[in-house]
Amino acid sequence: MPRSTALARGPIGFTVAPMSSDAAPADAAALLERLLATPAASAPTHAGDGRLYFLHDAEGSAQVWEIPAGGGAPRPRTRHRDAVSHVAGLPDGGAVFGRDGAGDERVQLHHLPPEGEARALTEAPEVIHGWGAVSPDGRRIAYTANARDPAHTDAWVMELATGAARCVAEVEGPHELPAWAPEGDALLLATAPRTFESSLDRVALADGARTPLTPHEGDWRHQAPRGKAGGGGFWLLTDRGQDFLGVAFQEPGAAPRFLYAPPHDVEVLQLSPDESLLAVVVNEGGYSRLRFLDAASGAVRAAPWHPRGVITKVSWAPDGSHVAFDLAGFAFPAGLHRAWPDRAESEPLFPADVPRGLRQWESITYPTHDGREIPAFLALPEGEAPASGWPMLVWVHGGPAAQALPNWRPDLQAVLAMGIGVLVPNVRGSTGYGRDYAALDDREKRLDSVADLAAAHAFLAARPGVDGARIGIMGQSYGGWMVLAATTEYPALWACGVDFYGIARWKTFFERTGPWRIGHRAAEYGDPVRDAELLERLSPLLRAERIACPLLVAQGMTDPRVPPQESAQIVAALERRGVPVEYLTFPDEGHGFTKRDNRRRVYRAVLAFLARHLKG
């Protein structure tokens, strides 16, 4: 989800044209269409012969594309309406990818040979298959599947040539398989019962025996293991004993030894093929920074320049000469880049088209109710503010254990083009600012984060050039719950709200969300039985009589995370009271809008809604 002089162009203003009640302002809608038509490339992964696979949405949803070994014109390798969730290169030049059905997250795995059409590896549409890793010899893959019990995802291994698969370990609750042991005789299994607690085990393929690799006391994270050949230990990301994730090395039977621990989270760790270097990505206030480290000492060997934005995936070339990575920003969609450990700058590999005339974020902080400073991104429309001041939209991320990033957002760029400013806060509970900050909204402290939204309103209303009477709020998923909570806890503040698939009542959410999610979500939000009274207090549906502003609600009907009933309940409650509410549903979308035509529909509806209630 999301530095060069080519990106530092001045913004272009847009005039808001008269509009009908069911259409977005013409110029903003035209800009939105132009931005939606700008394709993005992400998630690069090398195959063993040097070709590079990645995801590209030129045809309307993310599909597998390929750049040939040695360079050449990219070509599409899959063409589906439903988006591909991931792709992983294989040593023989092929790849494995996953795809669900209409956003239901029941991913099926497919094998893509170096040439020719893909074939299905799994054909169980009721089962969720989670991607794991490719074996060192390239002949097997590891993945998770909840075939035994919908609430539990077991560890599986499949022979690619024959499709023969077997369960190698039954695991309670969700888990991941981030790597194989370098010798190929075991898997590394990661369990995460809570957001800031994760452990690593070694699972022997011969008999399924599990050996804990990271025994510890207290809640600490242990992630992204990368094994050293010969059984000499492994590199990993951990925050054991500190506030941020850093790079550590762990020898057999010992505790992690930190090699690189900046005052920021290290979010990506990739080991070079010869095990001499680590490519890491550091989150510095939401912006990604690529660095190369000496694998033995952790010393920074290189920090090649790249445009300012967000990196989600890094892949070493098979010869270890360079890495490919994706990069997106608020004013440009994701494209592919390359960086070398011995060069001062990165270079574009398959860059996205850079739209002209878009706004950039300003990183700010604002004070909240207990004296803390809340980090946020702010963007204002181009030009002088009108006499009454700019109307504003506060956009709230989901999670809650997540972070709003300076990523590509065509919808927010179109909002700015309408003459509406945007503030994107990372309220308490957000990740990226340390463990302590992320814990500030836990359970009974949940409403403190909603108070941070009221503080955002106060900050904006006191700012010169802002119309404090015209401030709306928008969010998705948990951010949708934040919209509903803000409009029930502080109903007098908000001129309107936009809720994308938000939680209306925790009791009904836990009754209908995917069973594989209940344990992890209960650890974050509260136990549906033990904390029932607290969860009822935190349920906006039970305080819906306090909502005074118009709402727009949008929901994917195959959503397994926040079931459609959550949106339907809040819509019905507002309709009974005569509060203006608009409800959009999407039969072929789940937890998010992944198809270009659906994004067009929902974003245009948002623009029209904001034009009526913030610009009208």
Side-chain angles (χ1 to χ4, degrees):
M1 336 164 199
R3 308 171 115 149
S4 73
T5 54
L7 304 181
R9 298 188 177 95
I12 298 174
F14 294 87
T15 302
V16 177
M19 55 171 290
S20 66
S21 62
D22 60 350
D27 286 352
L31 173 65
L32 176 66
E33 187 60 36
R34 181 163 65 91
L35 300 185
L36 286 175
T38 304
S42 63
T45 175
H46 282 95
D49 65 353
R51 75 181 76 192
L52 185 71
Y53 290 100
F54 60 99
L55 300 183
H56 194 37
D57 65 355
E59 298 182 7
S61 66
Q63 298 298 313
V64 179
W65 281 51
E66 171 202 317
I67 295 176
R75 60 169 177 155
R77 294 297 308 274
T78 67
R79 284 188 167 94
H80 308 287
R81 175 162 172 77
D82 291 316
V84 171
S85 60
H86 74 272
V87 60
L90 295 170
D92 68 354
V96 173
F97 68 90
R99 180 170 60 88
D100 69 5
D104 65 4
E105 299 189 19
R106 289 165 171 80
V107 170
Q108 306 301 308
L109 301 178
H110 303 260
H111 175 231
L112 186 66
E115 297 296 333
E117 298 300 314
R119 64 181 176 91
L121 295 173
T122 63
E123 296 181 277
E126 74 285 356
V127 175
I128 296 174
H129 301 89
W131 175 242
V134 180
S135 66
D137 61 10
R139 293 188 289 188
R140 296 164 292 170
I141 60 171
Y143 61 96
T144 65
N146 65 343
R148 174 177 60 89
D149 186 319
H152 304 294
T153 55
D154 298 327
W156 285 71
V157 167
M158 177 184 289
E159 298 283 342
L160 281 175
T162 64
R166 66 186 181 96
C167 177
V168 297
E170 293 187 354
V171 184
E172 296 297 305
H175 70 283
E176 296 180 349
L177 299 170
W180 289 70
E183 296 73 29
D185 60 344
L187 300 176
L188 299 187
L189 181 148
T191 58
R194 292 172 296 281
T195 301
F196 281 83
E197 159 66 13
S198 57
S199 300
L200 299 173
D201 289 355
R202 184 182 190 274
V203 179
L205 297 186
D207 57 7
R210 287 175 61 172
T211 303
L213 296 177
T214 55
H216 59 279
E217 296 181 359
D219 281 7
W220 304 109
R221 291 175 289 178
H222 305 81
Q223 302 173 354
R226 298 291 180 263
K228 184 176 178 63
F234 58 95
W235 291 267
L236 76 160
L237 299 179
T238 182
D239 57 5
R240 195 188 296 196
Q242 61 180 38
D243 207 22
F244 293 95
L245 286 168
V247 180
F249 185 80
Q250 184 165 334
E251 297 178 357
R257 172 175 54 89
F258 280 99
L259 302 176
Y260 178 67
H264 309 282
D265 277 335
V266 181
E267 296 184 328
V268 176
L269 170 66
Q270 293 294 349
L271 176 66
S272 66
D274 67 359
E275 301 186 355
S276 67
L277 292 173
L278 302 171
V280 301
V281 175
V282 184
N283 177 338
E284 299 180 354
Y287 288 95
S288 298
R289 192 74 173 89
L290 175 68
R291 291 184 172 90
F292 293 102
L293 310 180
D294 181 272
S297 68
V300 177
R301 291 271 295 272
W305 178 90
H306 55 76
R308 208 164 177 234
V310 179
I311 298 170
T312 64
K313 183 82 180 289
V314 176
S315 176
W316 281 96
D319 64 4
S321 62
H322 67 278
V323 298
F325 62 97
D326 54 11
L327 181 72
F330 183 55
F332 58 95
L336 304 183
H337 300 254
R338 290 187 294 191
W340 290 259
D342 57 354
R343 299 187 190 179
E345 296 190 359
S346 66
E347 73 172 27
L349 173 62
F350 186 52
D353 293 333
V354 179
R356 298 183 179 226
L358 302 185
R359 307 299 289 168
Q360 289 283 7
W361 288 127
E362 175 189 359
S363 296
I364 66 164
T365 64
Y366 66 86
T368 191
H369 54 92
D370 58 358
R372 299 178 188 276
E373 291 289 321
I374 302 299
F377 300 104
L378 175 68
L380 296 175
E382 193 228 359
E384 293 294 324
S388 60
W390 298 116
M392 297 293 301
L393 178 68
V394 176
W395 189 90
V396 191
H397 69 72
Q403 181 185 21
L405 300 172
N407 226 324
W408 175 237
R409 288 301 301 254
D411 56 335
L412 296 186
Q413 289 286 356
V415 168
L416 288 162
M418 289 171 57
I420 299 172
V422 180
L423 178 76
V424 179
N426 276 305
V427 298
R428 70 188 65 209
S430 301
T431 56
Y433 306 95
R435 295 174 58 93
D436 292 344
Y437 189 80
L440 291 174
D441 71 338
D442 287 354
R443 296 175 179 263
E444 66 278 357
K445 297 179 287 186
R446 185 73 55 196
L447 291 179
D448 287 349
S449 64
V450 183
D452 291 341
L453 298 177
H457 187 286
F459 166 77
L460 291 172
R463 186 183 176 96
V466 169
D467 185 347
R470 293 189 294 165
I471 300 177
I473 186 167
M474 176 177 174
Q476 59 194 48
S477 187
Y478 177 84
W481 174 82
M482 290 283 276
V483 169
L484 299 178
T487 54
T488 53
E489 298 297 323
Y490 304 95
L493 297 184
W494 308 103
C496 62
V498 178
D499 161 27
F500 284 5
Y501 38 90
I503 299 154
R505 187 180 182 188
W506 293 104
K507 181 178 185 295
T508 53
F509 163 78
F510 276 114
E511 288 172 349
R512 291 173 172 81
T513 192
W516 58 90
R517 291 174 42 81
I518 291 175
H520 195 274
R521 295 295 83 193
E524 173 69 40
Y525 301 135
D527 186 272
V529 177
R530 185 176 60 252
D531 301 312
E533 183 177 353
L534 171 64
L535 292 174
E536 291 287 78
R537 169 62 185 89
L538 298 176
S539 294
L541 181 66
L542 303 184
R543 299 166 66 82
E545 74 281 356
R546 295 171 57 86
I547 297 177
C549 66
L551 284 187
L552 169 65
V553 180
Q555 176 73 51
M557 301 308 285
T558 67
D559 191 341
R561 300 187 179 214
V562 180
Q565 182 183 353
E566 294 303 303
S567 291
Q569 289 180 121
I570 200 70
V571 169
L574 296 181
E575 287 178 338
R576 285 193 297 269
R577 293 182 49 237
V579 176
V581 60
E582 301 175 35
Y583 188 28
L584 298 178
T585 61
F586 297 83
D588 60 344
E589 296 282 13
H591 198 67
F593 307 118
T594 63
K595 303 173 179 69
R596 182 173 293 125
D597 54 345
N598 289 334
R599 291 199 300 271
R600 177 185 298 112
R601 178 187 166 208
V602 72
Y603 292 164
R604 286 183 65 112
V606 169
L607 296 183
F609 178 82
L610 297 180
R612 287 194 294 277
H613 299 295
L614 294 183
K615 293 286 291 182

